[in-house]
């Protein structure tokens, strides 16, 4: 039987058949791989949080170490009020701070801020997510502060498309460790940490060396840290 | 948070589809031989981008994203018990929308300007596989624009940016035909190099300061001027001489 | 098959006959998809900042081309001509989604490096171009070889650009520093002698210039490829 390939009926049937095959294969694939993909995203987040408190992890032991070091996680509002009974997608670990910062329908005063409480060598530290804007796209990271609510004990930064070798270096240890020891506040007052020209900030309080050639990204980091730490310090300073 | 105007201007200059991301190069290289065809195709690309981006935005936010179908049934949302995530269909959906709109554009052009239709030939249907159109949709998804207006501004800006790039290059190529280019570089070779130089020139737009909202709030903003002066760090000294050379070249013609 | 039909069909082509081998060798030089056919430029330029990115992109394109060419070739007598382009588009999109899902699930860090450019493989002119120009009219095995040749032709250009840009621009190869450390204040190796990475190589325009130079060299070696005005 000669099938007329150009007949409308045949064209229609063929198209339907293709759609069904494609649909079935893709749905099965995505269902099968779904849990794995979700796990990958979650593990990365846990690894980044742990990196701020100086704990080295790999994708293999990320979950285990997270449970070991992170004791609690909660959310505060922009004016420093602890949030209770949040829906699942707004709970501390699940809250997508990056998406929130880009969402214009959410006013600044309505934003939520997660806090992760960690215990390292008997000392409590607080890991705080930060998001901001770099040169090419968003930048984000975690700032860990000590139990005095003032001193930074560690930092981890990441980015989506900053210039490799320049702005992209904000994720490297040589840059992040410049933040260790700086203060986000003192005696109830918020303090800013300025990112300055490379070489002029070493050993100076409240000043951190930037990356030569990565000025705009460095300034993005400065703004990101200062603006977000103000909100957190506002909450912490009231705790005492 | 960027304002809509920021997104629009960025899409034309700093994040130009061709010079920053190289999207839409194939048809760009093929069609830039005369300014007339370049203008025609550029306008078609603007139209397709402006129409497809809002449609794809709505699809992304109300159908494809995880929990986007919440308007159908609360259970399908992110907090429901049966969260539906159709984002794996994004590629197929976006490209289908683009193909459909391009078909529409083709029919309109054939009906109203048959001369242009003949001149553009195969390149009109090829807009469907023009990386810049699908790229625009993918960037929109990746950057999570939060309103339809932003997505449309991005589409319009990207289209205009692409249009400018194609027309500029066509103008240069028309002039180069009378220059003494080494034989092995003639045609495609010199086109690539010229596009590269134009890209370097467009890099200078990186110094534009976007978003003025937060500056007034902070008292310690002594660094404002240093941002603008130090932005040239991102470009080495080599580039600034090349930029001035390109400008001189363009001015001399 | 009757004897007459066999003779009409002609002798079966050996797997690696001269004609078939050419399908692989031609795209590697004289009919290179990027430098001669001028297809697939978009990703070639955007994704070549680091060798690792070039490598994974090549792998993804290779997979899509091989499977795609074979699938289209197998279906070539069944596809209604009216929806030809659409079906090709659907096959490409389908394969790219498969690649994307596999990358996200098994090598998420690579997936993050390639980000939106995986999706852009769909619009990679080389793939649709070969479907239309070759797979639609040839048997599965030659189509497979054609896909292999073009994907490899694409891959070697990508790797060359990636190597040039990463070595000259970041002083590294696959993330491994080659010339010592260039941390400010703690320079070692070549950097201690005053060498500085050429940051222009990291920026987009350099890729265009590198491709232009490769084209220049190619055409200078093979005079037949020179375009006349």
């Amino acid at each position: 039987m000669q099938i007329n390939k150009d007949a409308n009926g045949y064209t229609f049937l063929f198209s339907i058949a293709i759609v069904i095959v494609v649909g079935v294969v893709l749905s099965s694939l995505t269902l099968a791989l779904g849990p794995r993909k979700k796990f990958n995203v979650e593990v990365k987040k846990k690894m980044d949080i742990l990196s701020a408190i100086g704990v080295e992890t790999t994708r293999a032991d990320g979950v285990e170490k997270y449970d070991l070091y992170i004791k609690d996680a909660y959310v505060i509002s922009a004016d420093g009020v602890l949030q209770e009974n949040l829906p699942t997608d707004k709970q501390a670990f699940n809250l997508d701070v990056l998406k929130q910062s880009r969402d214009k329908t959410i006013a600044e005063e309505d934003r939520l801020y997660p806090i992760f409480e960690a215990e390292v060598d008997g000392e409590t530290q607080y890991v705080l997510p930060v998001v901001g804007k770099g040169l090419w796209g968003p930048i984000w990271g975690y700032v860990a502060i000590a139990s005095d609510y003032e001193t930074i004990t560690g930092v981890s930064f990441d980015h989506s498309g900053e210039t490799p070798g320049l702005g992209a270096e904000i994720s490297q240890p040589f840059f992040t460790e410049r933040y260790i020891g700086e203060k986000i506040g003192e005696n109830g007052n918020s303090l800013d940490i300025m990112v300055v020209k490379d070489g002029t900030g070493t050993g100076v309080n409240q000043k951190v060396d930037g990356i030569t050639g990565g000025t705009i990204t460095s300034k993005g980091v400065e703004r990101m840290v200062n603006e977000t730490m103000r909100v957190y310090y506002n909450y912490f300073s009231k705790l005492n | 948070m960027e304002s809509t105007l920021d997104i629009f201007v960025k899409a034309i200059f700093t994040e130009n589809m061709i010079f920053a991301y190289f999207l839409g190069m194939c048809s760009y290289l093929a069609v830039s031989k005369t300014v007339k065809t370049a203008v025609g195709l550029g306008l078609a690309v603007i139209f397709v981008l402006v129409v497809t981006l809002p449609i794809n935005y709505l699809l992304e936010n109300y159908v494809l994203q995880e929990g986007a179908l919440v308007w159908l049934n609360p259970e399908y949302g992110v907090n429901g018990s049966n969260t539906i995530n159709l984002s794996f269909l994004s590629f197929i959906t976006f490209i289908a929308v683009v193909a459909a709109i391009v078909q529409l554009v083709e029919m309109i052009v054939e009906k109203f300007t048959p001369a242009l239709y003949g001149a553009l030939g195969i390149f009109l249907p090829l807009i469907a596989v023009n990386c810049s159109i699908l790229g625009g949709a993918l960037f929109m998804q990746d950057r999570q624009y939060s309103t339809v207006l932003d997505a449309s501004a991005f589409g319009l800006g990207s289209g205009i940016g692409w249009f400018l790039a194609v027309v500029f290059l066509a103008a240069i190529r028309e002039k180069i035909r009378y220059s003494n280019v080494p034989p092995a570089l003639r045609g495609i070779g010199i086109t690539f190099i010229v596009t590269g130089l134009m890209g370097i020139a467009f890099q200078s737009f990186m110094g534009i300061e976007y978003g003025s909202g937060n500056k007034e709030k902070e008292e310690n903003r002594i660094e404002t001027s240093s941002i603008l002066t130090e932005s040239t760090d991102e470009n080495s000294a080599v580039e600034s001489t090349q930029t001035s050379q390109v400008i001189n070249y363009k001015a001399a013609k | 098959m009757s004897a007459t039909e066999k003779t009409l069909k002609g002798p079966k082509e050996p797997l690696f006959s001269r004609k078939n081998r050419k399908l692989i060798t031609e795209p590697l030089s004289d009919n290179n998809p990027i430098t001669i056919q001028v297809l697939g430029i978009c990703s070639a330029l955007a994704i070549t900042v680091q060798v690792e990115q070039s490598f994974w992109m090549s792998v993804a394109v290779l997979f899509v081309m091989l499977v795609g060419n074979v699938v289209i070739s197998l279906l070539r007598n069944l596809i209604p001509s009216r929806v030809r382009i659409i079906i090709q588009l659907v096959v490409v999109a389908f394969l790219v989604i498969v690649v994307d899902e596999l990358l996200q699930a098994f090598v998420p860090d690579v997936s993050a490096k390639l980000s939106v450019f995986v999706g852009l493989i769909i619009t990679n002119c080389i793939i649709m171009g070969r479907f239309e120009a070759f797979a639609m009219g040839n048997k599965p095995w030659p189509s497979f070889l054609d896909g292999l040749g073009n994907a490899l032709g694409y891959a070697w250009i990508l790797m060359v650009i990636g190597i040039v840009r990463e070595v000259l621009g970041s002083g590294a190869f696959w993330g491994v520093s080659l010339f010592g450390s260039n941390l400010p204040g703690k320079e070692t190796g070549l950097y201690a002698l005053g060498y500085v990475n050429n940051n222009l190589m990291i920026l987009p325009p350099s890729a265009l210039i590198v491709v232009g130079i490769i084209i220049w060299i190619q055409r200078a070696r093979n005079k037949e490829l020179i375009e006349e005005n």
Side-chain angles (χ1 to χ4, degrees):
Chain A
M1 183 185 77
Q2 271 295 82
I3 308 176
N4 181 1
K5 280 203 310 174
D6 290 323
N8 277 337
Y10 178 77
T11 307
F12 196 63
L13 284 176
F14 185 85
S15 312
I16 302 261
I18 288 275
V19 168
I20 294 180
V21 169
V22 166
V24 165
V25 174
L26 285 183
S27 315
S28 336
L29 186 66
T30 206
L31 273 175
L33 293 178
R36 242 203 131 98
K37 290 196 299 178
K38 194 154 186 240
F39 174 75
N40 285 336
V41 172
E42 285 178 1
V43 157
K44 181 84 180 43
K45 197 167 182 176
K46 292 183 177 171
M47 283 170 69
D48 289 340
I49 293 177
L50 289 174
S51 166
I53 51 175
V55 175
E56 295 286 313
T57 48
T58 61
R59 279 182 183 268
D61 58 15
V63 180
E64 192 192 313
K65 289 205 172 149
Y66 182 83
D67 293 332
L68 184 61
Y69 286 98
I70 306 294
K71 298 299 173 196
D72 199 4
Y74 39 90
V75 176
I76 59 168
S77 65
D79 47 9
V81 176
L82 190 62
Q83 304 291 296
E84 311 267 321
N85 299 324
L86 288 167
T88 336
D89 69 327
K90 295 226 175 10
Q91 283 169 19
F93 187 78
N94 301 329
L95 185 59
D96 187 345
V97 278
L98 182 56
K99 189 151 188 218
Q100 181 184 242
S101 74
R102 286 157 141 178
D103 195 339
K104 286 191 175 178
T105 59
I106 302 180
E108 247 185 82
E109 50 269 12
D110 294 330
R111 289 196 195 151
L112 297 174
Y113 294 83
I115 299 179
F116 299 92
E117 225 175 85
E119 204 177 288
V120 184
D121 298 332
E123 292 276 317
T124 311
Q125 289 185 36
Y126 301 92
V127 184
L128 316 168
V130 291
V131 285
K133 239 174 20 135
L135 171 61
W136 287 106
I139 52 178
W140 59 90
Y142 296 93
V143 174
I145 58 174
S147 46
D148 65 355
Y149 304 139
E150 288 175 358
T151 323
I152 294 183
T153 52
V155 140
S156 71
F157 290 133
D158 206 353
H159 59 90
S160 124
E162 300 306 292
T163 321
L166 301 175
E169 301 295 287
I170 56 170
S171 56
Q172 300 299 328
F174 80 84
F175 178 73
T176 56
E177 55 193 29
R178 291 175 183 168
Y179 267 93
I180 299 179
E182 298 290 343
K183 285 185 181 255
I184 65 168
E186 203 160 25
N187 300 326
N189 294 318
S190 240
L191 288 178
D192 277 356
I193 302 172
M194 305 315 249
V195 177
V196 295
K197 196 161 149 126
D198 198 3
T200 60
T202 345
V204 181
N205 275 346
Q206 302 314 116
K207 287 208 168 132
V208 156
D209 283 337
I211 294 179
T212 316
T215 315
I216 298 183
T217 314
S218 305
K219 285 298 178 187
V221 171
E222 174 192 288
R223 251 194 304 262
M224 165 171 87
V225 171
N226 291 338
E227 282 174 10
T228 324
M229 288 303 112
R230 248 173 254 148
V231 173
Y232 283 114
Y233 189 70
N234 177 36
Y235 165 76
F236 282 121
S237 54
K238 291 196 210 144
L239 281 183
N240 291 331
Chain B
M1 281 192 294
E2 318 175 279
S3 76
T4 311
L5 188 62
D6 281 349
I7 295 178
F8 177 67
V9 174
K10 250 196 192 174
I12 302 182
F13 297 111
T14 331
E15 293 180 357
N16 186 293
M17 275 293 182
I18 298 243
F19 297 125
Y21 296 112
F22 305 120
L23 300 181
M25 290 297 283
C26 305
S27 33
Y28 164 82
L29 291 169
V31 127
S32 49
K33 293 213 179 93
T34 65
V35 176
K36 256 204 11 241
T37 43
V39 169
L41 194 64
L43 288 173
V45 166
I46 294 183
F47 180 77
V48 174
L49 269 170
V50 168
V51 172
T52 57
L53 263 173
I55 298 180
N56 281 329
Y57 171 83
L58 292 171
L59 283 173
E60 163 76 8
N61 281 283
Y62 292 105
V63 177
L64 295 170
Q65 243 182 29
E66 184 170 12
L69 285 170
V70 64
W71 51 274
L72 255 186
N73 178 345
E75 290 305 304
Y76 296 151
V78 261
N79 295 320
S81 53
N82 195 7
T83 320
I84 294 190
N85 185 354
L86 294 175
S87 54
F88 68 99
L89 288 175
S90 315
F91 294 160
I92 281 195
T93 318
F94 291 161
I95 199 83
V97 169
V98 171
I101 298 289
V102 169
Q103 185 70 29
L104 187 67
V105 171
E106 221 188 320
M107 297 195 304
I108 295 178
V109 169
E110 191 178 4
K111 185 119 202 259
F112 292 108
T113 48
L116 184 62
Y117 184 74
L120 287 177
I122 188 75
F123 293 109
L124 204 39
L126 276 185
I127 298 182
V129 287
N130 185 329
C131 326
S132 58
I133 316 275
L134 183 62
L138 293 178
F139 279 134
M140 176 270 303
Q141 187 188 44
D142 192 52
R143 293 184 195 159
Q144 298 170 313
Y145 287 130
S146 40
T147 65
V148 180
L149 188 61
D150 279 355
S152 314
F154 175 66
L156 184 61
S158 305
I160 294 181
W162 198 88
F163 172 83
L164 287 178
V166 176
V167 171
F168 287 166
L169 185 68
I172 295 182
R173 280 182 92 175
E174 275 188 1
K175 298 291 185 181
I176 278 190
R177 228 176 274 142
Y178 304 109
S179 310
N180 220 350
V181 181
L185 260 186
R186 257 182 232 152
I188 277 301
I190 197 67
T191 308
F192 268 100
I193 298 197
V194 167
T195 311
L197 292 176
M198 285 170 75
I200 295 178
F202 266 68
Q203 290 275 310
S204 55
F205 288 116
M206 265 207 293
I208 299 180
E209 170 92 344
Y210 292 107
S212 54
N214 293 325
K215 281 217 296 281
E216 290 79 279
K217 287 188 200 162
E218 302 161 36
E219 289 89 87
N220 303 338
R221 305 305 294 149
I222 40 174
E223 290 72 25
T224 322
S225 52
S226 56
I227 294 175
L228 294 170
T229 47
E230 285 177 87
S231 62
T232 46
D233 287 354
E234 300 262 4
N235 309 311
S236 60
V238 181
E239 291 170 55
S240 22
T241 35
Q242 282 177 322
T243 312
S244 50
Q245 278 170 9
V246 173
I247 295 175
N248 288 338
Y249 176 83
K250 282 190 193 169
K253 290 294 167 183
Chain C
M1 255 187 263
S2 73
T4 30
E5 278 182 318
K6 244 196 183 146
T7 36
L8 281 175
K9 268 197 161 203
K12 247 187 124 168
E13 190 110 16
L15 277 186
F16 281 105
S17 70
R18 180 83 95 54
K19 196 163 85 152
N20 284 342
R21 264 178 307 171
K22 256 196 165 179
L23 290 174
I24 302 186
T25 54
E26 261 188 13
L28 286 176
S29 58
D30 284 352
N31 200 17
N32 187 290
I34 297 189
T35 54
I36 307 295
Q37 298 177 47
V38 195
L39 300 173
I41 310 289
C42 315
S43 47
L45 304 174
I47 212 66
T48 44
V49 185
Q50 293 171 320
V51 178
E52 196 180 356
Q53 279 179 330
S54 299
F55 176 76
W56 286 110
M57 186 53 140
S58 307
V59 167
V61 168
L62 182 71
F63 173 80
V64 176
M65 279 226 68
L66 289 178
V67 179
N69 256 15
V70 171
V71 166
I72 292 285
S73 178
L74 287 172
L75 290 178
R76 74 187 186 283
N77 293 322
L78 295 173
I79 301 179
S81 48
R82 264 202 288 172
V83 287
R84 204 175 76 242
I85 299 284
I86 299 186
I87 299 290
Q88 287 172 13
L89 213 45
V90 168
V91 171
V92 178
F94 166 72
L95 287 172
V96 171
I97 296 181
V98 169
V99 169
D100 189 36
E101 293 282 309
L102 290 175
L103 284 177
Q104 277 182 39
F106 294 107
V107 275
D109 295 318
V110 173
S111 173
K113 271 191 209 267
L114 294 179
S115 66
V116 286
F117 292 99
V118 177
L120 287 176
I121 298 180
I122 299 179
T123 48
N124 188 326
C125 325
I126 301 181
I127 303 184
M128 288 278 288
R130 293 327 286 170
F131 281 2
E132 183 68 3
F134 199 88
M136 280 299 287
N138 283 281
K139 298 218 195 97
W141 176 246
S143 302
F144 177 84
L145 292 178
D146 179 80
L148 184 63
N150 277 286
L152 288 178
Y154 172 82
W156 86 257
I157 298 279
L158 239 70
M159 293 301 285
V160 166
I161 303 179
I163 293 176
V164 169
R165 286 179 80 187
E166 194 175 4
V167 169
L168 291 181
S170 314
F173 184 89
W174 202 287
V176 177
S177 253
L178 290 175
F179 304 132
S181 148
N182 69 336
L183 288 185
K186 300 183 223 155
E187 287 95 353
T188 66
L190 274 183
Y191 297 107
L193 298 173
Y195 174 77
V196 180
N197 285 329
N198 183 347
N199 282 326
L200 182 58
M201 281 292 152
I202 297 179
L203 299 175
S206 61
L208 285 161
I209 299 186
V210 171
V211 175
I213 295 180
I214 295 180
I215 293 180
W216 194 355
I217 298 175
Q218 231 184 358
R219 294 189 184 191
R221 293 180 63 210
N222 182 351
K223 297 277 188 295
E224 282 172 34
L225 298 169
I226 294 179
E227 287 176 45
E228 289 311 316
N229 267 336

